[in-house]
Amino acid sequence: RNIERSTPGLRRMTKSRFELYTRTNQIIVDGIIFTTSFALAYAIRFEGLPEWNYFKQFLLWLPYLIALRLYVSWKMGIYRFIWRYVSLADALAITRSLAIVSGILLSLRLFYPSGAVLAPRLKISLTVIALEFLISLMGCLGARALRRVLYQRGEENRSIGREVRRLLLGGAGRAGLAV
C-alpha cells in the first residue's frame, strides 16, 4: 500500500493489460505468416534446403516480399477489419491483396528477359510463387478464423447462466453488432 502511494505510476501499470489483438500485432502476425509461407514454399519446391544460388535468391526476396505484402494489405484496408467478425467479404479482400503481389511476382517471372543481368535473382520459380500464395492465404485466413472461433467460444462461456434476451435488428449491418 505504501509503495502504491509513493509511486503513482506503479498503480497505473498494474491495471493496464496487454492487448493481444491490436493492429500492430495483426501486422506482426501477418509478417510471420508471410515469412513462414515463403520459407515453406522454397523448402517444398526444393525438398529441403535449396542449393546456394536459390538460397541467395530467397534471402534477397524475403524482405521485399514481406514489405510488399504488408504494404498492399495496408493499402487495401485489410488491417481495418475486425478479426473477431471476419467474413467471406473479408476473405475475398485478403485473397485479392495476396493475388496482387503474387501477380507482380508472376509478371517478373514470365516477362523479365532471361538474358538480363539480374534474371537469376529476380525470376522466382512458378512453383514457389504458387505455393507461397496458397500457404499465405491459408495462414492469413486461418489466423483470422481462429480469432473468430476463440471470440465466439468466449462469448458462449460468458453467457452460460445468464438470462438471454433475443433482439431482432433489421438493416443494421455491422453497426448492429455493437448492440
Side-chain angles (χ1 to χ4, degrees), residues 68-81:
L68 188 59
R69 286 226 182 268
L70 293 174
Y71 177 76
V72 170
S73 294
W74 181 270
K75 282 304 198 182
M76 291 191 66
I78 302 301
Y79 299 115
R80 287 191 304 253
F81 299 155

Side-chain angles (χ1 to χ4, degrees), residues 35-47:
T35 303
T36 305
S37 67
F38 196 48
L40 278 174
Y42 265 89
I44 292 169
R45 163 61 178 89
F46 294 102
E47 298 179 2

Side-chain angles (χ1 to χ4, degrees), residues 24 34 50 52 54 79 81 83:
T24 303
F34 298 149
W52 180 243
Y54 291 107
Y79 299 115
F81 299 155
W83 282 26

Side-chain angles (χ1 to χ4, degrees), residues 95-117:
T95 304
R96 277 191 300 274
S97 167
L98 295 173
I100 288 171
V101 176
S102 293
I104 293 169
L105 295 176
L106 186 62
S107 296
L108 275 172
R109 171 69 178 154
L110 296 177
F111 302 118
Y112 193 79
S114 295
V117 177

Side-chain angles (χ1 to χ4, degrees), residues 17-132:
R17 63 187 190 111
F18 176 71
E19 283 293 325
L20 184 60
Y21 301 107
T22 63
R23 190 169 291 170
T24 303
N25 288 344
Q26 290 174 358
I27 292 169
I28 291 169
V29 167
D30 276 353
I32 292 169
I33 289 169
F34 298 149
T35 303
T36 305
S37 67
F38 196 48
L40 278 174
Y42 265 89
I44 292 169
R45 163 61 178 89
F46 294 102
E47 298 179 2
L49 285 176
E51 41 184 83
W52 180 243
N53 288 337
Y54 291 107
F55 189 70
K56 284 194 299 189
Q57 182 187 52
F58 167 79
L59 292 176
L60 172 78
W61 269 104
L62 184 64
Y64 297 111
L65 178 67
I66 304 312
L68 188 59
R69 286 226 182 268
L70 293 174
Y71 177 76
V72 170
S73 294
W74 181 270
K75 282 304 198 182
M76 291 191 66
I78 302 301
Y79 299 115
R80 287 191 304 253
F81 299 155
I82 301 172
W83 282 26
R84 66 180 175 225
Y85 301 125
V86 70
S87 66
L88 182 59
D90 298 341
L92 292 174
I94 291 167
T95 304
R96 277 191 300 274
S97 167
L98 295 173
I100 288 171
V101 176
S102 293
I104 293 169
L105 295 176
L106 186 62
S107 296
L108 275 172
R109 171 69 178 154
L110 296 177
F111 302 118
Y112 193 79
S114 295
V117 177
L118 296 176
R121 298 274 191 262
L122 293 180
K123 296 179 84 165
I124 297 175
S125 164
L126 292 173
T127 309
V128 170
I129 294 170
L131 284 171
E132 191 273 334

